[in-house]
Amino acid sequence: MSKSIEKFYITTPIYYVNAEPHIGHAYTTIVADVLARFYRQEIGSENVFFLTGTDEHGAKVAEMAAKLGKSPQEFTDQISGSFKEAWKNLDISHDYFIRTTDAKHKKIVIDILNKLKDKGVLYEADYQGLYCVGCEKFILESELVEGKCPDHNREPQKLKEKNWFFSLQQFLPKIKQAIELGELLVYPASRKNEVLGLIDKQSLPDFSISRSRKSVPWGIDLPWDKEQKTYVWVDALSNYITALDYPEGEKFKKFWPADAQFLGLEILKFHAVYWPAILLALDLPLPKLYIHGFFTIDGQKMSKTLGNVISPNALAEKYGAEVSKYLILSQFSFGAESDIKIENFAEKYNADLVNGLGNLLNRVTNMVEKYLDGKIDLQFVDKKLAQEEIRQLRFREALLTIWQVIQNSNTLIDQEKPWLLAKDEKNKGKLEELLKELVFDLYNIATGLKPFMPEKSAQIIAILTADKIKKPTEPIFPRLDLSD
Ligand code: MSP
C-alpha cells in the first residue's frame, strides 16, 4: 500500500442471521474497525468507507424462523438488530450497515442478475446433487462423513432441479492470471496458493445461481423465472457493491474496488473465485482480499451445544468496548489460526492495562505534578508509533510495539528513580529531562493507540497537553477483582 492512497474501502463478510453474534464475528469486525479508524486519520473520514451487515436469505433462515413460530422477516429483523447492538457496544465505526433484505439491495441484485444474463454468462441446466441446508450449498459425496455433512452433522437432501448456472469455467484462466499479477490480491500467500491450487486442480465446476423456490422459499426471485430464487451467495456477495449504489452511485464511483475485504478462511472460495468471476463478468475491477484464521475457544470450536460461545456484549459489559478490542486483537496474529483462553483475559487486563499503561500514566503525571508543578516545556511530535504494522495488518504486532515502549518507560523510571533525583536541587535539569522524555513517550503511546482505543487515547492526550499536568483523579483503567 503506497503513500498516494486517496480513498479506502473496507468490508467485512455480512454475517448470517441464524445465530447471535459471537466473538468470531467480532474479530473480523474489530480488525476492519481499526483499519478504518487508521485510514480516517491518514486521509480524512470522507475518503474512507467501512461496510458491514447481515446476510438474511436462504433455507436455513426460513427453517429457523419457522421453528420459532416467526415470519422470516420478523426473525431476521431481530437477529440483524442483535448484530447492530453488538457493534454499538463494541464502538464499531462502520459507515453503513447493509441487510440483504433491504429493498435497495434487492433491487440492485435484480439489476446485476439481468446484466449477467445479458452478458451471456448464465445458462439453464438440470442439477442433481446433495444439498446441505446448514452450509447452504451442494456438497460432494466424498465430503460426507457417515452420510452426514461433517460441519452440521446432518444428512444432506437429494435435490434434482432446473437451475440457472454461471459459466465459471471461462473465467478461471483470467482469475488465475489476475491473482498471479496481483490485480486480485489474495493475502496471505498461503491462501493465495490455496486458490491457485483449486484452479489448477480443475475442481471448480460452474455453479448454479438459483434454487427452486420449493427448496429455498426465502430469497430474491430471479427476474425472468419466478419459480427460482437467487442463490444466497450471489445475493450476499453483491452486497459489497449494492451498498455503494452500483452502478451509478457516487459512492460506487469513488470507492470501488475495495481496498480491504476481510474474511475468514472458510469462505475463501466464494470470495477469491466466485466473486472475482462475477466482477469480471460485469467488467469491474478486482478487490484486495485479506484472509484471517479461525480461532477456537479453550481448544474447541465455538458451538451452542458446547456452551462456549462468547458474546461480544458480555465482554463489552465487563471491560468496555476499547479494552475488549485490545484483548481480542492482542491474542494472535492476523492470518494465524489460534486458540483463545478467555480466563486469561482478566489477568491480561490487569497486567497490560492496569499495571502497564495505567500505572505509567499515574506515575508520570504524579511526578510532573509534584516535582515540576505540573508544568512541562515540551514540543509534542507524533512519531507515528506502530503505523507501519497497522498498514501491514499486523495488529497484534502494532500493540506489542506500543507495549514495548510502555515497558521501557516503566523500566526507565525504576532505574533512574526520579524521586531520588528530586531530593537534590542540582539534579533538577536531569529530572526535568527525564520527565520530558517520559511525557513525550506517553504522548506517542497515546497517538499510536488512537485507532485501537480512540477514547482512552484522547483522554491521555488531554491530560498530557493540559496547561498543568495532573495525576488523574480516577485511574483510566480501574483494577479488576480477579475473583469476579
Ligand atoms: N454469510 C456468510 C458470508 C457472506 S459474505 C458475502 C457467512 N456468514 S457467517 O456468519 O458464517 O460469518 C463468517 C465469518 O465470521 C468468517 O468468515 C469470519 O470472518 C468470522 N468468524 C466466524 N467465526 C470465527 C472464528 N471462530 N474465528 C475467526 N473468525 C470467525 O459466512
Side-chain angles (χ1 to χ4, degrees):
M1 294 178 199
S2 74
K3 280 262 181 274
S4 60
I5 290 170
E6 282 168 3
K7 61 91 191 174
F8 209 83
Y9 178 32
I10 304 172
T11 68
T12 71
I14 47 171
Y15 304 111
Y16 284 136
V17 289
N18 58 337
E20 294 282 338
H22 58 59
I23 65 166
H25 308 121
Y27 176 73
T28 319
T29 313
I30 291 171
V31 157
D33 181 66
V34 169
L35 201 67
R37 290 180 185 275
F38 173 77
Y39 277 105
R40 287 191 192 110
Q41 249 167 253
E42 292 277 288
I43 58 175
S45 303
E46 68 286 8
N47 297 318
V48 174
F49 199 77
F50 166 19
L51 175 71
T52 189
T54 41
D55 186 356
E56 306 186 11
H57 290 126
K60 198 165 25 177
V61 173
E63 215 181 61
M64 293 279 285
K67 228 188 256 171
L68 296 169
K70 295 189 175 181
S71 74
Q73 191 64 57
E74 254 180 301
F75 175 67
T76 60
D77 285 350
Q78 179 197 325
I79 310 278
S80 184
S82 297
F83 274 92
K84 281 189 180 158
E85 183 65 26
W87 302 159
K88 193 168 147 225
N89 290 338
L90 281 180
D91 195 20
I92 299 297
S93 64
H94 49 282
D95 295 291
Y96 191 62
F97 186 103
I98 192 165
R99 302 181 54 186
T100 53
T101 52
D102 289 340
K104 190 185 85 177
H105 169 79
K106 290 193 279 192
K107 189 171 162 285
I108 304 177
V109 168
I110 288 170
D111 179 37
I112 290 172
L113 289 164
N114 280 326
K115 278 205 171 78
L116 293 175
K117 187 154 180 282
D118 291 347
K119 297 263 182 191
V121 298
L122 304 181
Y123 62 92
E124 203 179 13
D126 262 341
Y127 188 87
Q128 194 167 349
L130 298 170
Y131 191 81
C132 172
V133 176
C135 303
E136 293 291 6
K137 65 179 184 192
F138 283 96
I139 61 174
L140 300 172
E141 193 85 52
S142 59
E143 291 172 309
L144 302 180
V145 176
E146 292 171 4
K148 290 179 176 173
C149 160
D151 287 344
H152 297 93
N153 197 26
R154 60 195 281 178
E155 282 176 22
Q157 305 170 353
K158 270 207 182 89
L159 287 185
K160 181 183 175 188
E161 53 182 50
K162 266 215 173 331
N163 284 162
W164 284 84
F165 281 75
F166 182 94
S167 64
L168 180 66
Q169 293 291 313
Q170 61 170 302
F171 292 100
L172 294 178
K174 279 187 217 159
I175 294 173
K176 184 176 177 192
Q177 195 187 27
I179 293 177
E180 281 164 350
L181 294 175
E183 287 161 8
L184 171 62
L185 183 83
V186 183
Y187 177 92
S190 53
R191 302 295 163 207
K192 167 178 163 179
N193 294 334
E194 198 177 316
V195 180
L196 291 173
L198 279 180
I199 297 176
D200 284 343
K201 266 194 289 178
Q202 299 182 321
S203 54
L204 293 164
D206 290 353
F207 63 91
S208 62
I209 60 119
S210 69
R211 299 281 182 263
S212 142
R213 66 182 308 147
K214 286 186 215 88
S215 53
V216 183
W218 174 239
I220 303 175
D221 288 345
L222 273 196
W224 59 87
D225 183 349
K226 303 281 187 239
E227 282 311 301
Q228 298 271 309
K229 294 282 185 186
T230 307
Y231 176 36
V232 278
W233 273 99
V234 173
D235 169 2
L237 288 164
S238 302
N239 94 87
Y240 301 131
I241 56 175
T242 66
L244 300 177
D245 303 330
Y246 168 79
E248 294 302 333
E250 285 308 313
K251 283 205 283 289
F252 178 73
K253 288 178 194 158
K254 175 165 177 170
F255 286 107
W256 190 259
D259 302 278
Q261 296 210 260
F262 288 108
L263 52 132
L265 52 88
E266 88 291 10
I267 51 179
L268 177 63
K269 181 178 82 179
F270 298 99
H271 283 81
V273 183
Y274 291 10
W275 178 225
I278 294 171
L279 290 167
L280 287 171
L282 296 171
D283 298 314
L284 294 176
L286 302 174
K288 293 185 167 63
L289 305 174
Y290 293 101
I291 296 96
H292 65 74
F294 255 48
F295 53 78
T296 48
I297 302 289
D298 300 322
Q300 284 177 303
K301 206 172 154 178
M302 258 183 284
S303 91
K304 262 193 200 154
T305 21
L306 287 173
N308 64 350
V309 178
I310 293 159
S311 143
N313 300 332
L315 268 189
E317 198 175 318
K318 184 162 180 186
Y319 297 103
E322 301 197 344
V323 172
S324 300
K325 293 188 209 175
Y326 172 81
L327 292 172
I328 293 178
L329 287 182
S330 58
Q331 295 293 311
F332 62 98
S333 300
F334 184 88
E337 282 171 76
S338 180
D339 186 52
I340 287 187
K341 298 219 180 325
I342 294 291
E343 73 269 19
N344 293 348
F345 274 24
E347 241 179 87
K348 179 120 180 108
Y349 169 73
N350 278 345
D352 294 1
L353 295 159
V354 181
N355 300 335
L357 177 55
N359 191 33
L360 178 65
L361 179 71
N362 285 346
R363 292 173 98 183
V364 173
T365 50
N366 183 39
M367 291 188 289
V368 175
E369 188 176 355
K370 223 158 106 188
Y371 306 140
L372 305 177
D373 195 24
K375 299 268 182 211
I376 204 143
D377 179 21
L378 185 61
Q379 196 74 39
F380 288 106
V381 183
D382 183 356
K383 281 171 58 187
K384 302 196 182 290
L385 195 61
Q387 294 207 348
E388 213 30 61
E389 286 95 332
I390 298 180
R391 220 172 254 129
Q392 294 167 9
L393 313 183
R394 299 172 64 231
F395 303 103
R396 175 168 182 261
E397 292 72 12
L399 292 169
L400 287 173
T401 299
I402 296 171
W403 255 263
Q404 189 60 55
V405 182
I406 295 173
Q407 201 189 324
N408 292 349
S409 297
N410 270 324
T411 310
L412 187 69
I413 300 174
D414 295 341
Q415 281 168 351
E416 297 295 320
K417 302 187 177 46
W419 49 93
L420 294 184
L421 294 177
K423 287 194 171 150
D424 194 338
E425 188 60 25
K426 77 172 189 304
N427 291 327
K428 187 142 201 290
K430 193 170 174 202
L431 176 64
E432 208 172 316
E433 280 316 302
L434 175 64
L435 291 178
K436 262 190 200 176
E437 184 181 340
L438 289 165
V439 171
F440 184 81
D441 284 346
L442 248 181
Y443 176 84
N444 273 291
I445 289 162
T447 53
L449 270 180
K450 215 168 163 186
F452 298 95
M453 296 189 183
E455 275 174 30
K456 298 289 183 197
S457 158
Q459 245 176 299
I460 298 173
I461 291 172
I463 292 171
L464 300 178
T465 54
D467 288 343
K468 225 170 158 52
I469 293 181
K470 280 202 204 90
K471 182 181 168 188
T473 41
E474 296 285 323
I476 64 162
F477 298 108
R479 185 168 298 279
L480 202 71
D481 182 354
L482 287 183
S483 59
D484 268 7

